[in-house]
Amino acid sequence: MQLRHLAFLFCGTASLNFACASVPSLSSQSDMESALNTALSAIEGRGSPRSPTVVIVLTRTMPPELRRAATALRDAANDFDLPDLEKYSLPRGYLQIESLTINGDSAVFRGLLGPVPALGNRSASGCGERFEIHLTRVVRGGWVVTSATEVMC
């Protein structure tokens, strides 16, 4: 909160010739990365201790701040450049983030983890896992998982 007060003081006393950066947007990007990292870690940690990290699928409809957070945290690939697209619309180990909504001290992550067979491909196995993870901000600015649901097919 002190940073916001300092920004207000600076912007309030700055000359009209200068534009002031929006501190909430910087805070929001940091919140987005922190909340996303917590959700991704929950997905990756649900299996064995050596579960592989997921690869984030970047879509054209993904908000820019979510795209920046995702690429800062994990390897990423564009949705049109995924391996085995003739077999899978979402290959094993690839995660399509559907949304990450932060509202004050709570956040909700939704995503789909492959494998998801391509339409018409009956020989491919898997049907994907859909995640909904609820997070709460803790005192020191991090996030903790308060509830998580995982639905297969």
Side-chain angles (χ1 to χ4, degrees):
M1 289 302 207
Q2 291 176 352
L3 184 57
R4 289 183 185 178
H5 293 296
L6 288 174
F8 175 75
L9 288 174
F10 175 75
C11 291
T13 59
S15 167
L16 293 177
N17 295 331
F18 295 103
C20 293
S22 172
V23 173
S25 67
L26 296 175
S27 175
S28 297
Q29 188 65 38
S30 174
D31 285 346
M32 178 90 48
E33 282 187 25
S34 181
L36 181 59
N37 192 47
T38 301
L40 294 175
S41 296
I43 292 169
E44 294 163 343
R46 77 197 190 300
S48 70
R50 295 179 176 235
S51 292
T53 57
V54 297
V55 176
I56 305 297
V57 177
L58 304 174
T59 64
R60 285 170 270 137
T61 59
M62 182 179 277
E65 60 276 2
L66 184 54
R67 179 183 289 265
R68 282 192 300 274
T71 57
L73 296 170
R74 300 291 189 281
D75 288 339
N78 290 309
D79 58 353
F80 56 83
D81 198 26
L82 300 178
D84 296 327
L85 280 177
E86 64 281 349
K87 292 181 184 177
Y88 295 100
S89 61
L90 189 61
R92 180 177 309 281
Y94 285 74
L95 177 72
Q96 183 173 337
I97 299 171
E98 295 169 344
S99 64
L100 176 59
T101 306
I102 299 175
N103 188 7
D105 289 337
S106 64
V108 178
F109 168 91
R110 290 182 179 90
L112 178 64
L113 180 65
V116 176
L119 288 175
N121 184 7
R122 296 175 191 257
S123 65
S125 62
C127 56
E129 299 172 72
R130 190 165 302 281
F131 291 90
E132 182 172 302
I133 301 173
H134 293 255
L135 308 157
T136 299
R137 187 189 317 268
V138 292
V139 175
R140 293 192 176 152
W143 296 87
V144 295
V145 175
T146 53
S147 69
T149 56
E150 177 182 348
V151 178
M152 296 183 73
C153 316

